[in-house]
Amino acid sequence: MPRPLRQHPDRLFPAEPNARAAARELYASVKALPILSPHGHTDPAWFATNEAFADPTDLLLAPDHYLYRMLYSQGVSLERLRVPAHGGVAMGDPREAWRTLAGHMYLFRGTPSALWLTHVFTEVFGLDVALSGETADLYYDTIAQALATDAFRPRALFERFNIEVLATTESPADSLNHHHAIRDSGWKGRVITAYRPDPVIDAEHEAFGASLERFAELTGQDVYDWAGYLEAHRIRRAAFAEAGATSTDHGHPTAATADLSPTDAEALFRDLIAGDVTPEKAELFRAQMLTEMAAMSLDDGLVMQIHPGSFRNHNRLLFEGYGRDKGADIPTRTDYVSALKPLLDRFGNDPRLSVIVFTLDETSYARELAPLAGHYPCLKLGPAWWFHDSPEGMRRFREQTTETAGFYNTVGFNDDTRAFLSIPARHDVARRVDCAFLGKLVAEHRLDIDEAGEVAADLAYNLPKRAYKL
Amino acid sequence: MPRPLRQHPDRLFPAEPNARAAARELYASVKALPILSPHGHTDPAWFATNEAFADPTDLLLAPDHYLYRMLYSQGVSLERLRVPAHGGVAMGDPREAWRTLAGHMYLFRGTPSALWLTHVFTEVFGLDVALSGETADLYYDTIAQALATDAFRPRALFERFNIEVLATTESPADSLNHHHAIRDSGWKGRVITAYRPDPVIDAEHEAFGASLERFAELTGQDVYDWAGYLEAHRIRRAAFAEAGATSTDHGHPTAATADLSPTDAEALFRDLIAGDVTPEKAELFRAQMLTEMAAMSLDDGLVMQIHPGSFRNHNRLLFEGYGRDKGADIPTRTDYVSALKPLLDRFGNDPRLSVIVFTLDETSYARELAPLAGHYPCLKLGPAWWFHDSPEGMRRFREQTTETAGFYNTVGFNDDTRAFLSIPARHDVARRVDCAFLGKLVAEHRLDIDEAGEVAADLAYNLPKRAYKL
Amino acid sequence: MPRPLRQHPDRLFPAEPNARAAARELYASVKALPILSPHGHTDPAWFATNEAFADPTDLLLAPDHYLYRMLYSQGVSLERLRVPAHGGVAMGDPREAWRTLAGHMYLFRGTPSALWLTHVFTEVFGLDVALSGETADLYYDTIAQALATDAFRPRALFERFNIEVLATTESPADSLNHHHAIRDSGWKGRVITAYRPDPVIDAEHEAFGASLERFAELTGQDVYDWAGYLEAHRIRRAAFAEAGATSTDHGHPTAATADLSPTDAEALFRDLIAGDVTPEKAELFRAQMLTEMAAMSLDDGLVMQIHPGSFRNHNRLLFEGYGRDKGADIPTRTDYVSALKPLLDRFGNDPRLSVIVFTLDETSYARELAPLAGHYPCLKLGPAWWFHDSPEGMRRFREQTTETAGFYNTVGFNDDTRAFLSIPARHDVARRVDCAFLGKLVAEHRLDIDEAGEVAADLAYNLPKRAYKL
């Protein structure tokens, strides 16, 4: 007899009745607001072609490193989960992979993945029993059947999910053809891009050389010359803005910025182009480029996002066998106070610039980021991110940033996901957790309910709209 | 129709009824205890001259960097807030500045500034509607009118606030004339000083040279000679003690201490005096001087306070334009384990020495500071400080220090403020948050209510009295 | 009139009634499960000889650095507490030492020591008034009287405590004679050892030379030769396994691992043996030996425990006067991401290896350890440890690790204690705190009660049994 599956209407609210009542009231006022998803990693090809999703495993398991990393940590091989080897294609039976997931669902107890999956299973597919070994085939068949219908094609789901804007992330070396196809199709869904220049900025990136070549092709610039390289950025930024982008995104190992003289910057660039790449030079160049990007943002108005602090591809064997983004990125201690100073010394007091900073090092919330964002006009705090995109993680974010930075130096929620179907689930969790936090403030007489209501709407909708210029 | 303003009698207590009832009972037993304010930055001239405060803006906004930093972070210029430029005087209409504050009050939702201001507005000025653009002039006029009356002069407020002792902080280069004037006036209010020698210890301080000159004048010593320099400290410490001081205060960038041989210490001092100042030498000298100060404390009994971990004047342009203490100090990661070892190796086991350590790096609470204070006889923990002087910050302090250091290696609350009118508000918040913490322990059967009552009184009154030898 | 002493049946559960009801239900289902104590520091001689414990002070106070460090921090000398000087024997009257403890019990308010002592006093000795100066003699006499009876001998208490397995910790230089005696005695209690090779691995350990000599004697190997040294480890590991050991334990200053070539490893070893010991070489050798130990674990199946991050013997004078383990070890900031990489690059993907990692740096829970354990097949997270073995510490552990690593990459509770009588108290606190955490998840509709029940039993019993191969 399978366990019933349902979502309690009061989930994630405080247990204490007064705080819960306040949270419930606040949530009721924001739950139906449209979704703004200004930062994410869905595939624009889905919306360009609007083809049906292949099967449950390829839609829900194979692209979701939150899921397969957990099973991998318990000794399940990636092959069994249909994660394709580097440069290869997914092997094995998708149904078998799904059964493997189903048999390990207990691993996700207490994790946000469990919350998100439950939302997808109940709200998107109407399932009402829990996923387990026993129900694996029922799930597989139900979901596969749904995916074959028009109502589950990408655009239909986009509309059903009440998404007002969805941003994807592309490299400057991307042609943006899917985005152009979306626009040319006449479909009214707003899918925009974001400018993520890491592959042409990070000389240690495995695709640096190839990306620069493509960068040159797409811009007609001599990108191996410092002036041409900068001009190529300007050209691609303009093309991205034309394709709807309102932001850039920078996923560096650290938050280091630099403000070299033009001569020194050019000399450094020449070294890297000449193949004289040391870790120190690569780091300094990434640092310098953040300041260059900030200068360009002052010209073209693109909002800057800095996402530092992940040790990418920590598992050597896995990286060699499966490539990047396979759940083996590990956060590291991250400094902001010294790291951001060169950029802030140059542009920090300019309210026309907007730099949204993220962290994987929660110790920086109260110690560094809230004090910085609570002072510098150009800085805003991105939401609890990645490993911290979770009820406890979001609670810590609010508890540790609000008292110094307030709510109005934050920018609402980012789902940052490749898992398209989980977008409504993720935004729902975020809205609930924010309302839970606000409800507690109300119940402890630290904030009036009417003010809390304004904050709830701002966090769910107004702040991301303003911060990302949507 | 303006929003009503009131303070709920149960504010800051847990929402859960049993914990709230315990908190309420505990708070009732401590709320009327006299205020001990052993560490702060009010201006002794106020109590020496007892002149009326100028206007609402100059009293409540211009000196409060908690307030103007938040508005500045949202693009409001400091000029509009009547913050004077470096070496200049406040410009512009104070009423206009007040209106600007009023129009941005929503920024403070969920912050301690909102709690403190509400307390000042309701308790001190009897206002009963919220501050907003609409009520800005009502506020301005009501407060200005009150300030013109004798009941709102500094000494009258001091008495009304039930302050038993108030410590200010002065440099060794200060003549202490205001403190002498207070004593000579015959007024019975106890306003004492504290010895803060940073300007004559920190060779990187912009006032180092000028402070040394004044240090020489006031002591008659050759302060450019190591023996004379140390003797000058002894002389000023004695003069401070004579003016009521029971403590010294040290606001260094790090917690580094050193225990150089007399020869090496003297050589280092000579280098600095000769203008051979490197960051390393300046840091080592500050480190050495903490140990020298500890040695003097063993002689004269002054309690030592170490306040490390702030990157002062982080915003270069703001520092150049407006000087220090303008809301642009940013906390940094701070080590205590290695940093304090030289001082502790020398004096750590001497229970006659009392060193109160503060931090802006909350990660050190459970990991470093509670274990150190829970072992070394000379060490005590200062309260949650500055950015962490807030309900969540104080809660984290208790949650992260109590289990290892207990309550009795802590020293009660410090308001650490320049905002005189907020002193009762700040102590009230601290008492409420401590009682909320204790109330939760009682409700979870981790502490008996009678023991909790003793702890509540100790935290509010007995511990600071003993720790600061008041 | 002494204060009554009792343990509330709902202690440590959330105050909110729904969460409390769930916690109570979960706890009821696990409270009677046998105790598995896979990591601790009790003395195997107790169970080998089964002699009566000497007196209350020598049993409860003198070996418990949690207790005497707190009194020491308040100026009570170790002599007064019968802590023996280095190489000496305990001096002074045990009853007087007990009275000193009794008079300072208020220092432990809000600490886990208070919880543990209350459990021991009420459950083990049946006392019903609180310990204070007034009741010190009553306590002393009651406990002394009980200890003289057969029911309070070590084996009787072991059985009464419902301990299924108890692991002690021995050096490779230990003959394991007590463990052999226990087995030869025919007593059915399962007391096993664990292999802690620090004294023969850490060239900076004060007993390094003597331990190596003994290591040679016990193994018949030339331990001053690299191959002989490694073989000696294999021989002692086998002997420990024979005496029941299922794990090794490594208490290094950092989590550094290394993977040197055999040639480089041998050269490094030779330097150390030749007395060419620098801090860097000692650190690198410890790092290399963790990887060597992992390789041996793959052969012999012993589970590896890494306990890094304590600055041992921080108080120089105390170390000189009293030796190690006197409450003067202070946690330090600890990196895992880079530190563990060499070992993980070599063995991280092998699910046959089991490495349990502990930390004293809570900042690594969410940032480093949960992401690492939530990915690498070989890694599991040890419980909240030492200073963090406390209600708030355990709560933070669950809140900060569960969302990324889940419950199933953790291994249940370790009591890690020298205080034998506190073992049931410590496991009871851990079970209550875990059930409180689960109860809150249930009350907030984040986990079903039936799933929570499975998790509660897994945390209390099944996970440690599996993780430690008991």
Side-chain angles (χ1 to χ4, degrees):
Chain A
M1 176 72 184
R3 202 161 53 78
L5 187 72
R6 65 175 201 121
Q7 298 204 94
H8 196 284
D10 286 334
R11 66 190 178 278
L12 294 168
F13 296 157
E16 191 283 316
N18 285 307
R20 176 168 289 187
R24 199 189 276 147
E25 176 181 341
L26 296 167
Y27 173 72
S29 73
V30 300
K31 75 174 181 185
L33 290 173
I35 288 177
L36 298 173
S37 175
H39 179 98
H41 301 281
T42 51
D43 187 343
W46 295 336
F47 309 104
T49 66
N50 201 31
E51 283 177 14
F53 292 109
D55 64 61
T57 296
D58 280 9
L59 175 61
L60 297 172
L61 172 56
D64 191 341
H65 53 67
Y66 286 85
L67 296 181
Y68 61 73
R69 81 192 308 276
M70 181 67 96
L71 272 72
Y72 187 73
S73 79
Q74 293 275 318
V76 178
S77 70
L78 294 185
E79 286 83 1
R80 288 183 62 197
L81 302 170
R82 267 182 71 84
V83 177
H86 191 42
V89 294
M91 306 283 286
D93 180 6
R95 184 180 291 267
E96 276 306 322
W98 184 262
R99 286 172 180 159
T100 301
L101 170 67
H104 288 85
M105 283 301 293
Y106 69 96
L107 297 177
F108 297 100
R109 289 170 179 164
T111 71
S113 291
L115 295 171
W116 300 329
L117 285 177
T118 299
H119 193 282
V120 170
F121 295 158
T122 57
E123 300 294 311
V124 183
F125 294 105
L127 289 153
D128 59 6
V129 294
L131 178 59
S132 66
E134 186 188 0
T135 62
D137 284 340
L138 168 69
Y139 262 72
Y140 195 86
D141 295 333
T142 303
I143 295 171
Q145 215 164 351
L147 295 182
T149 66
D150 284 349
F152 285 81
R153 285 181 185 264
R155 293 183 183 177
L157 288 174
F158 185 101
E159 288 158 12
R160 174 176 165 196
F161 291 167
N162 194 20
I163 298 175
E164 184 174 313
V165 185
L166 178 73
T168 65
T169 308
E170 271 76 39
S171 152
D174 188 284
S175 69
L176 303 180
N177 61 324
H178 297 306
H179 287 275
H180 299 149
I182 293 167
R183 188 161 45 181
D184 295 347
S185 76
W187 176 54
K188 70 175 184 354
R190 187 169 168 205
V191 177
I192 63 179
T193 184
Y195 188 70
R196 176 137 180 180
D198 300 357
V200 298
I201 283 180
D202 182 0
E204 296 178 315
H205 196 291
E206 70 274 16
F208 183 59
S211 300
L212 278 184
E213 271 182 51
R214 186 87 181 106
F215 197 37
E217 280 169 38
L218 285 167
T219 59
Q221 294 294 312
D222 176 4
V223 302
Y224 306 101
D225 167 79
W226 179 231
Y229 174 78
L230 292 177
E231 186 59 22
H233 275 291
R234 282 187 208 99
I235 290 168
R236 289 308 284 153
R237 290 172 65 108
F240 273 62
E242 230 276 307
T246 67
S247 68
T248 69
D249 183 32
H250 309 275
H252 293 190
T254 75
T257 64
D259 190 17
L260 301 176
S261 71
T263 318
D264 288 349
E266 181 164 2
L268 174 62
F269 176 75
R270 277 203 198 123
D271 283 356
L272 296 179
I273 291 300
D276 177 9
V277 180
T278 63
E280 293 71 28
K281 287 185 182 179
E283 171 75 354
L284 183 58
F285 187 68
R286 289 187 296 258
Q288 176 63 23
M289 283 308 296
L290 286 182
T291 307
E292 302 289 348
M293 290 289 112
M296 292 186 197
S297 277
L298 271 169
D299 289 336
D300 63 20
L302 293 181
V303 171
M304 228 181 138
Q305 300 175 90
I306 304 181
H307 280 90
S310 178
F311 189 127
R312 302 276 170 178
N313 315 312
H314 188 269
N315 189 326
R316 184 173 55 82
L317 290 177
L318 205 82
F319 179 60
E320 290 167 8
Y322 294 86
R324 52 171 54 221
D325 299 326
K326 290 297 174 293
D329 299 339
I330 309 291
T332 57
R333 222 149 51 198
T334 307
D335 162 70
Y336 293 87
V337 181
S338 300
L340 294 178
K341 194 168 191 319
L343 189 156
L344 293 172
D345 273 344
R346 184 139 161 224
F347 299 120
N349 294 289
D350 194 329
R352 295 170 307 152
L353 179 65
S354 194
V355 180
I356 301 173
V357 183
F358 295 76
T359 195
L360 293 173
D361 182 352
E362 295 176 302
T363 70
S364 64
Y365 284 158
R367 186 183 59 214
E368 303 177 25
L369 290 176
L372 286 165
H375 167 68
Y376 280 100
C378 81
L379 281 183
K380 297 280 174 293
L381 300 186
W385 172 43
W386 197 341
F387 296 99
H388 311 307
D389 174 8
S390 63
E392 298 295 334
M394 289 187 235
R395 179 180 58 75
R396 288 196 291 271
F397 174 79
R398 291 287 171 214
E399 287 181 355
Q400 293 174 27
T401 63
T402 304
E403 295 180 319
T404 290
F407 292 106
Y408 292 89
N409 284 304
T410 67
V411 303
F413 180 64
N414 282 188
D415 56 67
D416 188 30
T417 192
R418 298 162 203 278
F420 177 47
L421 270 64
S422 75
I423 288 178
R426 289 168 189 251
H427 286 261
D428 189 65
V429 168
R431 291 175 186 188
R432 286 175 176 275
V433 174
D434 278 338
C435 290
F437 179 73
L438 290 165
K440 186 163 178 280
L441 294 188
V442 170
E444 295 178 356
H445 307 291
R446 296 158 68 180
L447 193 66
D448 288 349
I449 184 77
D450 57 340
E451 292 190 285
E454 288 180 31
V455 174
D458 289 337
L459 298 180
Y461 187 79
N462 299 315
L463 283 173
K465 186 148 194 163
R466 196 181 315 149
Y468 283 93
K469 305 184 178 175
L470 301 172
Chain B
M1 175 74 181
R3 202 163 53 79
L5 186 73
R6 68 177 200 118
Q7 298 205 93
H8 196 284
D10 286 335
R11 66 189 179 278
L12 294 168
F13 296 158
E16 191 283 317
N18 285 307
R20 176 170 289 188
R24 198 189 277 148
E25 175 181 341
L26 296 167
Y27 173 72
S29 72
V30 300
K31 75 175 182 184
L33 290 173
I35 287 177
L36 297 173
S37 175
H39 180 98
H41 301 281
T42 52
D43 187 343
W46 296 335
F47 309 104
T49 65
N50 201 31
E51 284 176 13
F53 292 109
D55 64 61
T57 297
D58 280 9
L59 176 61
L60 297 172
L61 171 57
D64 191 340
H65 53 67
Y66 286 84
L67 296 183
Y68 61 72
R69 82 194 307 278
M70 182 67 95
L71 272 71
Y72 187 72
S73 78
Q74 293 275 319
V76 178
S77 70
L78 294 186
E79 286 82 0
R80 287 184 61 197
L81 301 170
R82 265 180 73 83
V83 178
H86 191 41
V89 293
M91 305 285 285
D93 180 6
R95 185 181 290 267
E96 276 305 322
W98 185 261
R99 286 174 181 160
T100 302
L101 171 66
H104 288 83
M105 284 301 292
Y106 69 96
L107 297 177
F108 296 101
R109 288 169 180 167
T111 72
S113 291
L115 295 171
W116 299 330
L117 285 177
T118 299
H119 192 282
V120 170
F121 295 157
T122 58
E123 300 294 312
V124 183
F125 294 106
L127 290 153
D128 59 6
V129 292
L131 178 59
S132 65
E134 185 187 2
T135 62
D137 284 340
L138 168 70
Y139 262 71
Y140 195 86
D141 295 333
T142 303
I143 295 172
Q145 213 164 353
L147 295 182
T149 65
D150 283 349
F152 285 80
R153 285 179 185 264
R155 292 183 184 176
L157 288 174
F158 185 102
E159 288 159 11
R160 175 176 164 195
F161 291 165
N162 194 21
I163 298 175
E164 184 173 312
V165 185
L166 178 73
T168 65
T169 308
E170 272 76 39
S171 151
D174 187 285
S175 68
L176 303 180
N177 61 323
H178 296 306
H179 287 276
H180 299 149
I182 292 167
R183 188 162 47 182
D184 295 346
S185 77
W187 177 53
K188 71 176 181 359
R190 189 170 167 204
V191 177
I192 63 179
T193 183
Y195 188 69
R196 176 138 180 179
D198 300 357
V200 298
I201 283 179
D202 182 359
E204 296 178 315
H205 195 291
E206 69 273 17
F208 183 58
S211 301
L212 278 183
E213 270 183 51
R214 186 86 183 107
F215 197 38
E217 279 169 37
L218 285 168
T219 60
Q221 295 293 313
D222 176 3
V223 302
Y224 306 101
D225 167 80
W226 178 231
Y229 174 79
L230 292 178
E231 186 58 22
H233 275 292
R234 283 186 207 100
I235 289 170
R236 291 308 285 154
R237 289 172 66 107
F240 273 62
E242 231 276 308
T246 67
S247 69
T248 69
D249 182 33
H250 308 275
H252 292 190
T254 75
T257 64
D259 190 18
L260 302 176
S261 70
T263 318
D264 288 350
E266 181 165 1
L268 175 62
F269 177 75
R270 277 204 198 122
D271 283 356
L272 296 179
I273 291 300
D276 177 9
V277 180
T278 63
E280 294 70 29
K281 288 185 182 179
E283 172 76 353
L284 184 59
F285 187 68
R286 289 187 296 258
Q288 177 62 23
M289 284 307 296
L290 286 182
T291 308
E292 301 289 349
M293 290 289 112
M296 292 186 196
S297 277
L298 271 168
D299 289 336
D300 63 20
L302 293 182
V303 171
M304 230 181 137
Q305 300 174 90
I306 303 181
H307 280 91
S310 178
F311 189 127
R312 302 276 170 179
N313 315 312
H314 188 269
N315 188 326
R316 185 173 56 80
L317 290 177
L318 205 82
F319 179 59
E320 290 168 6
Y322 294 86
R324 52 173 55 223
D325 299 326
K326 291 296 175 294
D329 299 339
I330 309 293
T332 56
R333 220 148 54 198
T334 307
D335 162 70
Y336 293 88
V337 182
S338 300
L340 293 178
K341 195 168 190 318
L343 189 156
L344 293 172
D345 273 344
R346 185 140 160 222
F347 299 120
N349 295 288
D350 194 330
R352 295 171 307 153
L353 180 64
S354 194
V355 180
I356 302 172
V357 184
F358 295 76
T359 196
L360 292 173
D361 181 353
E362 296 176 302
T363 70
S364 64
Y365 283 158
R367 186 183 60 215
E368 304 178 25
L369 291 176
L372 286 165
H375 168 68
Y376 280 102
C378 83
L379 281 184
K380 297 281 174 292
L381 300 185
W385 172 43
W386 198 342
F387 296 99
H388 312 308
D389 174 8
S390 63
E392 298 295 334
M394 291 188 233
R395 179 180 58 76
R396 287 196 291 270
F397 175 79
R398 291 289 171 213
E399 287 180 355
Q400 293 174 26
T401 64
T402 304
E403 294 180 320
T404 290
F407 293 106
Y408 292 89
N409 284 304
T410 67
V411 303
F413 180 64
N414 282 188
D415 57 67
D416 189 29
T417 192
R418 297 163 204 278
F420 178 46
L421 269 63
S422 75
I423 288 179
R426 287 168 190 252
H427 285 261
D428 189 66
V429 168
R431 290 175 187 188
R432 286 174 178 275
V433 174
D434 278 340
C435 290
F437 178 73
L438 291 165
K440 184 163 178 281
L441 293 188
V442 170
E444 294 178 356
H445 306 290
R446 295 158 69 180
L447 192 65
D448 287 349
I449 183 77
D450 58 339
E451 292 190 285
E454 288 180 31
V455 173
D458 289 337
L459 298 180
Y461 187 80
N462 300 314
L463 284 172
K465 185 147 195 165
R466 196 182 314 149
Y468 283 93
K469 305 184 179 176
L470 301 173
Chain C
M1 176 73 183
R3 204 162 51 80
L5 187 72
R6 68 176 199 117
Q7 299 203 93
H8 196 283
D10 286 334
R11 65 190 179 279
L12 295 168
F13 295 157
E16 192 282 317
N18 285 308
R20 176 169 289 188
R24 199 189 277 147
E25 176 181 341
L26 296 167
Y27 174 72
S29 74
V30 299
K31 75 174 182 184
L33 289 173
I35 287 177
L36 298 173
S37 175
H39 180 98
H41 302 281
T42 52
D43 187 343
W46 295 335
F47 309 103
T49 67
N50 201 31
E51 284 176 14
F53 292 109
D55 64 62
T57 296
D58 280 10
L59 175 61
L60 298 172
L61 171 57
D64 191 341
H65 52 69
Y66 286 83
L67 295 182
Y68 60 72
R69 80 193 309 277
M70 182 67 95
L71 272 71
Y72 187 72
S73 79
Q74 293 276 318
V76 178
S77 71
L78 294 186
E79 286 82 359
R80 287 183 62 196
L81 301 170
R82 266 181 72 82
V83 178
H86 191 42
V89 294
M91 306 284 285
D93 180 6
R95 184 180 292 267
E96 274 306 322
W98 184 262
R99 287 174 180 158
T100 301
L101 171 66
H104 289 84
M105 284 301 292
Y106 69 97
L107 297 177
F108 297 100
R109 288 169 180 166
T111 72
S113 291
L115 295 171
W116 299 330
L117 286 177
T118 299
H119 193 281
V120 170
F121 295 158
T122 58
E123 300 294 311
V124 183
F125 294 106
L127 289 153
D128 59 6
V129 292
L131 179 59
S132 65
E134 186 187 2
T135 62
D137 283 341
L138 168 69
Y139 261 72
Y140 195 86
D141 295 334
T142 304
I143 295 172
Q145 213 164 354
L147 295 181
T149 66
D150 284 350
F152 285 81
R153 286 180 185 263
R155 292 182 183 178
L157 288 174
F158 185 101
E159 289 159 10
R160 176 177 163 193
F161 291 166
N162 195 21
I163 298 174
E164 185 174 310
V165 185
L166 178 73
T168 65
T169 309
E170 271 76 40
S171 152
D174 188 284
S175 69
L176 302 180
N177 61 325
H178 297 307
H179 287 275
H180 299 148
I182 292 167
R183 187 160 49 181
D184 295 347
S185 75
W187 177 54
K188 70 175 184 358
R190 188 169 168 205
V191 177
I192 64 178
T193 183
Y195 189 69
R196 174 135 181 182
D198 300 357
V200 299
I201 283 179
D202 182 359
E204 297 178 315
H205 196 291
E206 69 274 16
F208 183 59
S211 300
L212 278 184
E213 271 183 50
R214 187 85 182 108
F215 197 38
E217 280 169 35
L218 285 168
T219 60
Q221 294 294 312
D222 175 4
V223 302
Y224 307 100
D225 167 80
W226 179 231
Y229 174 79
L230 292 177
E231 186 58 24
H233 275 290
R234 281 186 208 100
I235 291 169
R236 290 309 285 154
R237 290 172 65 107
F240 272 62
E242 230 277 307
T246 67
S247 67
T248 69
D249 183 32
H250 308 275
H252 292 190
T254 74
T257 64
D259 190 17
L260 302 176
S261 71
T263 318
D264 288 349
E266 181 164 3
L268 175 62
F269 176 75
R270 276 203 199 122
D271 283 355
L272 296 180
I273 291 300
D276 177 9
V277 179
T278 62
E280 293 71 29
K281 288 185 182 179
E283 172 75 354
L284 183 58
F285 187 68
R286 290 187 296 258
Q288 176 63 21
M289 283 307 296
L290 286 182
T291 308
E292 302 288 348
M293 290 288 111
M296 292 187 197
S297 277
L298 271 168
D299 289 335
D300 63 20
L302 292 181
V303 171
M304 228 181 139
Q305 300 174 88
I306 304 181
H307 280 90
S310 178
F311 188 127
R312 302 276 171 180
N313 315 310
H314 188 270
N315 188 327
R316 185 173 55 81
L317 290 177
L318 205 83
F319 179 60
E320 289 167 7
Y322 294 85
R324 53 172 54 222
D325 298 326
K326 291 297 175 294
D329 299 339
I330 309 292
T332 56
R333 222 148 50 197
T334 307
D335 161 70
Y336 293 88
V337 181
S338 299
L340 293 178
K341 195 168 191 315
L343 189 156
L344 293 172
D345 273 345
R346 185 139 160 224
F347 300 120
N349 295 288
D350 194 329
R352 294 170 308 153
L353 179 65
S354 193
V355 180
I356 302 173
V357 184
F358 295 76
T359 196
L360 292 173
D361 181 353
E362 295 176 303
T363 69
S364 64
Y365 283 157
R367 186 183 58 215
E368 303 178 25
L369 291 176
L372 285 165
H375 168 68
Y376 280 101
C378 82
L379 281 184
K380 297 279 175 294
L381 300 186
W385 172 44
W386 198 340
F387 296 99
H388 312 307
D389 173 9
S390 64
E392 297 295 334
M394 289 188 234
R395 178 179 58 75
R396 287 195 292 270
F397 174 78
R398 291 288 172 214
E399 287 180 356
Q400 293 173 27
T401 63
T402 305
E403 294 179 319
T404 290
F407 292 107
Y408 292 89
N409 284 304
T410 67
V411 303
F413 180 63
N414 282 189
D415 56 69
D416 188 30
T417 192
R418 297 161 204 279
F420 177 48
L421 270 65
S422 75
I423 288 179
R426 288 168 190 251
H427 286 261
D428 188 65
V429 168
R431 290 175 186 188
R432 287 175 176 274
V433 174
D434 277 340
C435 290
F437 178 73
L438 290 165
K440 185 163 178 280
L441 293 188
V442 170
E444 294 178 357
H445 307 291
R446 295 159 67 180
L447 193 66
D448 287 350
I449 184 76
D450 59 339
E451 291 190 286
E454 289 180 30
V455 173
D458 289 337
L459 298 180
Y461 187 79
N462 299 314
L463 284 173
K465 186 148 194 164
R466 196 182 315 150
Y468 284 92
K469 305 184 179 177
L470 301 173

